[in-house]
Amino acid sequence: MPRHAARLAAAFAVVAGWGAGPAVAEPPNPFDLARGLRESGQADLALAYLDELAAADKSPAVQQALPLERAKARVDLAEQTDDPGEREALLTRAQADFTQFLASKPAPAPAAEAASAAARVYVLQAQARLSRALKADKEDDQKAQAAEARPLFLE
């Protein structure tokens, strides 16, 4: 009986495979490479790739999602840099990218992701300003710069 069951299972598999037809492959997501680069700590390469993608793929869906993907790459790059000035500049650009993406009226799920990430960027900007203040040479400069950073933490 087990031999009969094995043959029946094999025959079923062959017939089921013939009737299924060719598998329809989905087109690749153009942002998968950028996400992979970011996840592997290569946010600078992800940003360069996104710049190339912006010039190469003019489809509305890609053009709408580019600001979100660029913003994420800039946030990751900002977290990797040790230079407070460069970090602040990257975070400012990321915030602008998030704002641009949200202005394009995206679907609810990506909009929520962008809004959450934009709030995180705001916190990172406040931390960057405080870090810069604490590294100032003079105590008066530290206090003045810390006072500038304070409102960011209160919002």
Side-chain angles (χ1 to χ4, degrees):
M1 193 81 169
R3 184 183 264 181
H4 178 66
R7 284 185 184 169
L8 184 60
F12 180 77
V14 169
V15 171
W18 282 342
V24 178
E26 290 187 29
N29 185 329
F31 299 111
D32 285 346
L33 178 59
R35 289 180 188 124
L37 288 168
R38 283 194 348 259
E39 289 170 2
S40 68
Q42 299 175 7
D44 54 340
L45 293 178
L47 202 50
Y49 167 73
L50 291 169
D51 289 341
E52 290 178 17
L53 183 62
D57 191 338
K58 298 295 184 187
S59 69
V62 168
Q63 293 299 316
Q64 182 185 27
L66 271 169
L68 176 62
E69 295 298 326
R70 280 185 173 142
K72 291 185 212 176
R74 285 191 173 104
V75 170
D76 289 349
L77 192 56
E79 290 177 332
Q80 294 170 5
T81 186
D82 293 329
D83 179 13
E86 183 180 351
R87 184 179 307 118
E88 252 185 279
L90 286 165
L91 292 172
T92 299
R93 293 278 314 271
Q95 190 72 29
D97 287 338
F98 283 128
T99 301
Q100 179 185 356
F101 176 74
L102 290 169
S104 72
K105 302 200 184 330
E113 177 188 3
S116 173
R120 182 171 161 258
V121 166
Y122 197 75
V123 169
L124 291 172
Q125 286 176 313
Q127 290 173 340
R129 284 208 183 153
L130 183 59
S131 175
R132 186 181 64 191
L134 295 175
K135 291 180 181 179
D137 293 333
K138 297 179 183 176
E139 187 176 336
D140 290 340
D141 291 341
Q142 284 181 349
K143 287 181 181 179
Q145 290 179 19
E148 289 176 15
R150 182 180 172 85
L152 296 175
F153 284 102
L154 296 177
E155 288 185 18

